[in-house]
Amino acid sequence: MAKFRHYALVRAESELALVQRESEIPKLAADQVLIRMKAASLNYRDLLTIADVQGNKDGLVPLSDGAGEVQAVGSDVRQWSVGDRVSTAFFPTWRSGAFSPAHLAVALGGGQTDGVLSDYVIAQQDAIVAVPEYLSFEQAATLPCAGVTVWQALFARGQIQAGQTVLVQGTGGVALIAMQLANAAGARVIVISSSDEKLAKAKQLGAWQGINYRATPDWDRAAIELTDGIGVDHILELGGPTTYDRSIAAIAPGGQIAQIGVLSGFGSQPNMTPLQFKNASVNGICVGSVEHFKALNLFMEKSRIEPVIDQQFGFSEVPQAYDYLRAAGHFGKVCITID
Ligand SMILES: NC(=O)c1ccc[n+]([C@@H]2O[C@H](COP(=O)([O-])OP(=O)(O)OC[C@H]3O[C@@H](n4cnc5c(N)ncnc54)[C@H](OP(=O)(O)O)[C@@H]3O)[C@@H](O)[C@H]2O)c1
């Protein structure tokens, strides 16, 4: 039986350690596909996972987001052929329609479910999507979590319209693909960031306005001024306790806050009352379905968006890639090439 390399999170004293291991490729079931992984990407969630000593099985294969090439198919698989370029879906069981909490338990790369930081991954035939032809494997690997989350937030739920305004927090993976997708939809995007240098880069990439949230802590007021006193139509709430109240202050009447992130932790909750006087909404967003992913990829094909990759690390450099993401100096996504 052929052996392959993968990473595993193993218990070491009070933390989880990343170790490389070898395993045997199991036999494919009739409806499964064997993928030779070519690239993966890290998300902020992967930092939460490695810090969660109790919440994951010992030996968990980390990371949810990857892309690769079909190497073999089960006897009942008709929609995929050897050589097809595919991406894994974050929730393999959420194919379409309404969300069910049961999907949370099988999200890739967390809890009890192995992820994609591996030479090979076995997936159900309906839990993968085709990679748009113009994207590299690394670019495709940036989308399963960050891209699909933004698709659900701004498009499937938010019904974004040309001419609307969008505010994104920071310049990490979710924020930048949100900016690119919103721009392609004809919206104007305000980026808030800790860094003037990152804001300058965001402007080069199409940000309409930038606000440094360190130099201008009351960025909500600045955003209201920039929108002629009206407020912002869509806010991607990524910060958590340090940003909730300002997001509620900056949202326009009838606007939508997509509740997505926890960058400042899981602290105290905001005062929601101002939302009622603006007829504004908060949409809870948890990534998205396979159907959302397919819709995102169709839009990507049409708009030819190139996801922003800050750094690509090799398979032997995975610990460095985690450290790099943790340091939060990145602009866009951090990827692993599975060479
Ligand atoms: N609900 C979901 O389905 C879902 C899906 C994906 C991600 N998320 C969550 O969304 C958040 C972003 O994820 P990501 O993978 O894009 O993270 P990331 O790539 O690591 O982005 C981190 C960046 O956010 C900015 N930032 C950090 N703290 C901030 C704060 N208090 N206020 C504003 N900006 C801040 C910084 O950018 P600057 O240096 O430019 O300020 C930092 O570099 C995380 O909390 C993640 O867990 C949730």
Side-chain angles (χ1 to χ4, degrees):
M1 188 69 82
K3 296 246 184 198
F4 70 102
R5 302 170 304 169
H6 63 88
Y7 275 87
L9 295 181
V10 297
R11 296 219 170 95
E13 302 282 321
S14 60
E15 55 178 29
L16 294 177
L18 260 176
V19 297
Q20 247 196 76
R21 282 188 173 163
E22 282 199 336
S23 293
E24 286 179 355
I25 300 176
K27 207 170 159 335
L28 277 186
D31 61 348
Q32 288 180 329
V33 169
L34 177 68
I35 308 166
R36 171 71 176 95
M37 300 306 292
K38 300 283 190 176
S41 86
L42 272 74
N43 291 289
Y44 187 80
R45 169 195 185 237
D46 302 310
L47 300 179
L48 299 177
T49 302
I50 199 170
D52 183 2
V53 179
Q54 299 304 328
N56 302 293
K57 71 170 180 179
D58 196 27
L60 177 84
V61 179
L63 305 196
S64 54
D65 293 13
E69 227 170 58
V70 173
Q71 175 106 356
V73 297
S75 55
D76 288 350
V77 174
R78 298 285 172 268
Q79 57 180 311
W80 303 110
S81 307
V82 171
D84 284 349
R85 288 160 26 99
V86 295
S87 297
T88 50
F90 184 93
F91 289 122
T93 52
W94 188 14
R95 307 282 159 77
S96 63
F99 184 69
S100 150
H103 301 313
L104 286 172
V106 291
L108 297 186
Q112 303 301 310
T113 309
D114 284 335
V116 303
L117 192 49
S118 179
D119 281 332
Y120 289 97
V121 163
I122 288 180
Q124 299 291 316
Q125 60 175 334
D126 296 327
I128 54 179
V129 301
V131 169
E133 167 273 320
Y134 78 100
L135 292 179
S136 69
F137 285 114
E138 284 78 8
Q139 288 173 322
T142 66
L143 297 176
C145 179
V148 174
T149 298
V150 172
W151 183 265
Q152 194 199 166
L154 288 181
F155 291 78
R157 302 272 290 284
Q159 297 289 310
I160 188 171
Q161 303 293 319
Q164 287 189 320
T165 49
V166 175
L167 183 142
V168 299
Q169 297 170 348
T171 53
V174 172
L176 288 192
I177 192 69
M179 181 184 81
Q180 292 176 297
L181 288 164
N183 275 342
R188 292 172 298 162
V189 181
I190 302 171
V191 178
I192 69 167
S193 171
S194 63
S195 148
D196 286 342
E197 203 188 325
K198 290 182 180 182
L199 286 173
K201 280 203 219 171
K203 281 207 172 161
Q204 275 175 4
L205 264 174
W208 171 54
Q209 302 283 349
I211 305 169
N212 185 319
Y213 62 77
R214 294 237 168 96
T216 309
D218 52 353
W219 54 263
D220 48 327
R221 283 176 183 236
I224 291 168
E225 273 171 33
L226 288 169
T227 53
D228 300 326
I230 296 168
V232 182
D233 297 310
H234 299 269
I235 297 181
L236 267 68
E237 177 39 61
L238 303 179
T242 62
T243 49
Y244 286 142
D245 288 310
R246 294 191 189 280
S247 291
I248 289 171
I251 197 72
Q256 299 186 54
I257 297 173
Q259 168 52 39
I260 294 174
V262 289
L263 286 166
S264 63
F266 296 86
S268 60
Q269 303 303 304
N271 172 13
M272 309 282 265
T273 313
L275 292 173
Q276 83 193 50
F277 299 109
K278 299 193 201 184
N279 288 291
S281 325
V282 179
N283 296 324
I285 302 292
C286 197
V287 194
S289 64
V290 173
E291 189 179 42
H292 290 139
F293 200 171
K294 288 179 181 168
L296 165 68
N297 278 343
L298 276 179
F299 189 85
M300 296 286 292
E301 286 273 14
K302 265 194 271 169
S303 49
R304 312 301 272 193
I305 290 169
E306 303 266 350
V308 181
I309 296 175
D310 181 300
Q311 287 284 332
Q312 290 176 202
F313 291 84
F315 197 74
S316 60
E317 300 169 322
V318 167
Q320 290 94 309
Y322 271 74
D323 289 343
Y324 188 75
L325 188 77
R326 201 175 282 114
H330 59 288
F331 181 84
K333 293 291 292 186
V334 176
C335 290
I336 310 291
T337 299
I338 305 179
D339 36 16

